Amino acid sequence: MAINRDGADYLYVQLADDIRRRCRSREWAPDHRIPPITELMAEYQLSDRTVRQAIGLLVDEGLLVTKPGRGTYVCP
Amino acid sequence: MAINRDGADYLYVQLADDIRRRCRSREWAPDHRIPPITELMAEYQLSDRTVRQAIGLLVDEGLLVTKPGRGTYVCP
DNA sequence: CACCATTTGTTCGTATGTATG
DNA sequence: GCATACATACGAACAAATGGT
């Protein structure tokens, strides 16, 4: 998926939408670790701040949990 | 109140604590606007990012609401 | 109506700290 | 101690919303 930078929507919202999609599609299954922030930065060509903001949104929603030093996981 | 930078606690947590205190003490009463981010930055000598993080915490708690273009208000 | 000042929102960059294994 | 990975904190610029002139 490509991020649309033409003001269609905020980048972190677009990224959160795509992560939701990949979780629902079971590409990233429950209880498994999603790629680290550094990899998401490279894949989507976004800064760490934007990636963190998207993840923070999904953590608030209860879709993800972050474990310092371990990674970010999909909630069961 | 002074922010303790000697690692006692995260700066944004200390700031959130102090804002809570000022709301509870009615220095900043319900339904009234608190100082804008720029003023809080100057008063506490913190970056805008740190101030926003503290405010975001309190918005999540339901203590504050932010209205773009208007300011940040204390919830009744 | 257009314009401006104020205020919050988003985004990128960089450096250092903390937690886990 | 070291490597990995998330967390905090500084700086900077531009965009968007609101209300008044």
Side-chain angles (χ1 to χ4, degrees), chain A residues 5 10-12 46-50 53 68-70:
Chain A
R5 298 181 110 88
Y10 294 130
L11 303 185
Y12 79 96
L46 294 170
S47 75
D48 76 294
R49 179 148 309 122
T50 305
Q53 197 163 358
R70 304 268 314 288

Side-chain angles (χ1 to χ4, degrees), chain A residues 3-54:
Chain A
I3 296 292
N4 177 8
R5 298 181 110 88
D6 299 336
D9 231 343
Y10 294 130
L11 303 185
Y12 79 96
V13 172
Q14 293 182 54
L15 175 55
D17 284 343
D18 202 52
I19 294 176
R20 271 194 219 93
R21 181 185 62 72
R22 294 173 83 165
C23 290
R24 274 201 304 269
S25 76
R26 299 297 179 116
E27 177 182 348
W28 293 337
D31 268 325
H32 281 69
R33 208 192 70 176
I34 74 172
I37 290 175
T38 48
E39 283 187 31
L40 294 175
M41 290 168 61
E43 175 177 352
Y44 288 95
Q45 290 292 290
L46 294 170
S47 75
D48 76 294
R49 179 148 309 122
T50 305
V51 173
R52 285 179 204 280
Q53 197 163 358

Side-chain angles (χ1 to χ4, degrees), chain B residues 9-48:
Chain B
D9 231 342
Y10 294 128
L11 304 185
Y12 80 97
V13 172
Q14 294 182 55
L15 175 56
D17 285 343
D18 202 51
I19 294 175
R20 271 194 219 92
R21 182 186 62 72
R22 295 173 82 166
C23 289
R24 274 200 304 267
S25 76
R26 297 296 178 118
E27 177 183 350
W28 294 336
D31 268 324
H32 281 67
R33 209 193 65 172
I34 74 172
I37 291 174
T38 47
E39 285 187 29
L40 294 176
M41 288 167 62
E43 176 178 350
Y44 288 95
Q45 289 291 290
L46 293 171
S47 75
D48 77 295

